[in-house]
Amino acid sequence: MTFSPQESPALPPGNNKGKRLLYLHVPFCERLCPYCSFNRVPFEEKLCRAYFSALRKEILLYRDKGYDFNGVYVGGGTPTVLVDELEAVLSLARECFSVGEISVETNPDHLTEVRLAPLERAGVKRLSVGIQSFDDALLKAMDRYDKYGSGRRIAERMKSVMGRFDTLNADMMFNFPSQTGASIENDLDTLAEIAVDQVTYYPLMVSDSTRRQVEQKLGSVDERREYVYYRRISRQLLKEYRFSSAWCFSRKTAEAVKIVDEYVVDYDDYAGLGSGSIGYLAGVCYANTFDIEDYIDRVEKDRIPLMASRTFGIRERIHYDFLMKLFGGSLDLIALGKKYGVSLFRYLWLPIFFFRLVGGIERRDNRLFLTERGRYHWVVMMREFFTAVNNFRDFCRS
Ligand code: SF4
């Protein structure tokens, strides 16, 4: 896929067919972690307040174009860095759109009354906390021990928040260079002790721009261990949890657990607002400008701050749905055929043939399902997908 910057990329019309998600990006972090490839910058209060104000304006631009959204996902960075601003953004989104679910990412040091009360007032249903690991040695290597405290302290904070939101998600990471099997076992035991509603277990993703820093601070990444660790994690978690996506596990008994980290699984369409956000609406994939000051400037001039867009052809759209739906565990072939009004065989025979041959998917009635091995194939593909997105972002910035 080529995805080249254009002078006048455009959004598709804002008709209200189907379920849509509003993704809002807040790129500020109080201190940057060395391994992180996400779209983030150091926190500066003045710039951050101007950014939140631009985000509210961008919401109004989408409303004026006739868009409606059923859910909101706020990712970062650290969205709760200025919680008064975030509360105002969420209350505006609820005023403008038919928002049901709201999910917000945060960090362990923000699990305090002063930040949680505004989130509850704003109607947040799912809080996702970036933990990565409870292992103190690893937290120190990741530069997170000083910021967020020891693994024990983080676990106690998580326990104290249980029950305040419909879903409390623990964002974990595996395959850090110095991480051992024993350290993962300890993390799994701590998660069981907290009895958290949902666990998202990402593999370490290293973009080209962070590889050197990761290798200097943490050591080289050994992708050969990744499958061993993934199998250990998923087998352990599946005793109490079910798959919501290949790397997200939701507690079997929790009815309210609906939103997962990968909103791309649940929503066919999503708009990406904020600097560097990527959206996918009616087959058009687009990116906002990555430069924060340029983003604020464009929005202040009442312009949707698009930097690039690309309209997918039918083959790419079907392949995209194939990838995302199976990432969520299963794909309904009848529903997908109806969505595009075509015979899927023409477009999907090769990937279906290949993944059945390698034991990654199986067919039951008119649905495809990932096997245990297939889930790991999808983890690898999604890791590569997100790494490519991060590389693309770094390329556009440079
Ligand atoms: S890991 Fe989270 S807190 Fe650390 S720099 Fe990345 S987005 Fe910010």
Side-chain angles (χ1 to χ4, degrees):
M1 177 178 91
T2 52
F3 192 25
S4 50
Q6 301 163 1
E7 279 308 309
S8 316
L11 282 183
N15 63 44
N16 284 327
K17 273 195 282 168
K19 227 175 124 191
R20 276 206 188 119
L21 182 106
L22 179 68
Y23 174 80
L24 304 169
H25 191 74
V26 180
F28 299 92
C29 290
E30 281 140 338
R31 265 170 59 190
L32 304 185
C33 306
Y35 58 88
C36 177
S37 308
F38 298 137
N39 176 23
R40 82 287 192 254
V41 294
F43 173 66
E44 282 172 49
E45 182 165 349
K46 193 165 165 232
L47 183 64
C48 188
R49 290 207 183 271
Y51 181 86
F52 270 110
S53 162
L55 205 48
R56 288 191 285 275
K57 190 134 195 204
E58 198 184 2
I59 288 174
L60 295 176
L61 294 177
Y62 273 79
R63 181 204 57 188
D64 295 347
K65 285 189 173 293
Y67 280 92
D68 193 14
F69 299 96
N70 311 95
V72 177
Y73 188 103
V74 195
T78 310
T80 48
V81 73
L82 287 176
V83 78
D84 57 325
E85 296 281 359
L86 177 63
E87 189 182 4
V89 163
L90 293 176
S91 100
L92 179 67
R94 290 175 71 187
E95 253 172 68
C96 294
F97 310 120
S98 338
V99 169
E101 323 168 320
I102 301 181
S103 178
V104 170
E105 293 177 357
T106 191
N107 277 327
D109 61 331
H110 286 189
L111 298 179
T112 57
E113 194 52 37
V114 79
R115 293 188 202 251
L116 297 180
L119 296 182
E120 283 174 317
R121 280 199 301 271
V124 172
K125 300 279 184 242
R126 176 181 177 274
L127 190 66
S128 177
V129 187
I131 293 172
Q132 327 301 12
S133 172
F134 297 100
D135 180 328
D136 288 347
L138 218 48
L139 290 171
K140 284 178 189 164
M142 292 179 213
D143 252 358
R144 292 178 72 92
Y145 187 90
D146 288 347
K147 285 188 268 183
Y148 308 127
S150 66
R152 185 50 21 212
R153 185 162 163 72
I154 294 170
E156 293 307 327
R157 282 196 155 157
M158 288 292 282
K159 277 198 237 170
S160 72
V161 180
M162 280 295 297
R164 282 188 80 156
F165 299 88
D166 285 358
T167 307
L168 184 67
N169 175 75
D171 242 0
M172 305 295 289
M173 233 181 233
F174 69 99
N175 208 26
F176 276 102
S178 54
Q179 198 172 25
T180 60
S183 165
I184 287 179
E185 294 296 337
N186 179 56
D187 284 351
L188 291 167
D189 288 347
T190 311
L191 288 168
E193 177 197 326
I194 300 168
V196 72
D197 304 305
Q198 194 178 65
V199 184
T200 307
Y201 239 116
Y202 300 97
L204 177 63
M205 299 182 213
V206 185
S207 68
D208 294 347
S209 65
T210 51
R211 185 166 296 277
R212 217 175 58 201
Q213 213 181 349
V214 168
E215 286 178 354
Q216 273 170 0
K217 288 224 168 197
L218 298 165
S220 340
V221 184
D222 180 356
E223 277 166 8
R224 287 166 308 176
R225 293 184 324 182
E226 197 181 60
Y227 177 57
V228 178
Y229 284 174
Y230 177 73
R231 200 172 50 178
R232 187 180 288 196
I233 290 163
S234 54
R235 285 189 178 171
Q236 180 64 27
L237 287 176
L238 285 178
K239 292 176 187 165
E240 299 281 334
Y241 297 80
R242 58 185 157 76
F243 278 110
S244 291
S245 79
W247 59 44
C248 181
F249 305 80
S250 299
R251 188 163 279 283
K252 286 176 183 165
T253 49
E255 279 303 309
V257 175
K258 286 201 190 88
I259 324 176
V260 296
D261 256 29
E262 269 41 77
Y263 48 84
V264 289
V265 170
D266 282 339
Y267 289 85
D268 288 349
D269 277 16
Y270 48 91
L273 280 68
S275 168
S277 283
I278 292 180
Y280 183 66
L281 291 168
V284 179
C285 185
Y286 67 90
N288 271 357
T289 176
F290 296 96
D291 181 312
I292 292 182
E293 278 160 10
D294 181 41
Y295 165 77
I296 295 172
D297 188 52
R298 290 203 210 189
V299 175
E300 290 305 328
K301 290 180 179 137
D302 290 334
R303 288 166 55 198
I304 299 270
L306 297 191
M307 185 197 69
S309 69
R310 189 180 194 288
T311 303
F312 283 12
I314 188 156
R315 179 175 296 277
E316 288 167 312
R317 292 181 70 178
I318 290 174
H319 280 187
Y320 176 85
D321 281 4
F322 175 80
L323 180 68
M324 296 306 166
K325 295 291 169 201
L326 277 170
F327 182 47
S330 73
L331 167 69
D332 183 335
L333 291 165
I334 302 281
L336 191 66
K338 273 195 191 142
K339 178 175 170 185
Y340 292 104
V342 293
S343 156
L344 290 178
F345 183 74
R346 183 172 157 206
Y347 299 97
L348 288 181
W349 73 268
L350 187 59
I352 290 177
F353 173 75
F354 173 75
F355 283 110
R356 287 188 81 171
L357 192 71
V358 297
I361 54 179
E362 56 194 22
R363 184 171 177 166
R364 275 177 259 145
D365 301 323
N366 287 311
R367 292 185 90 93
L368 296 176
F369 292 89
L370 290 183
T371 61
E372 186 187 33
R373 179 159 280 278
R375 285 191 206 105
Y376 179 64
H377 294 153
W378 254 253
V379 165
V380 172
M381 286 193 291
M382 295 305 285
R383 158 165 59 72
E384 290 305 304
F385 174 77
F386 285 117
T387 304
V389 168
N390 290 330
N391 285 338
F392 170 70
R393 195 177 276 133
D394 292 340
F395 166 76
C396 291
R397 274 215 195 90
S398 66

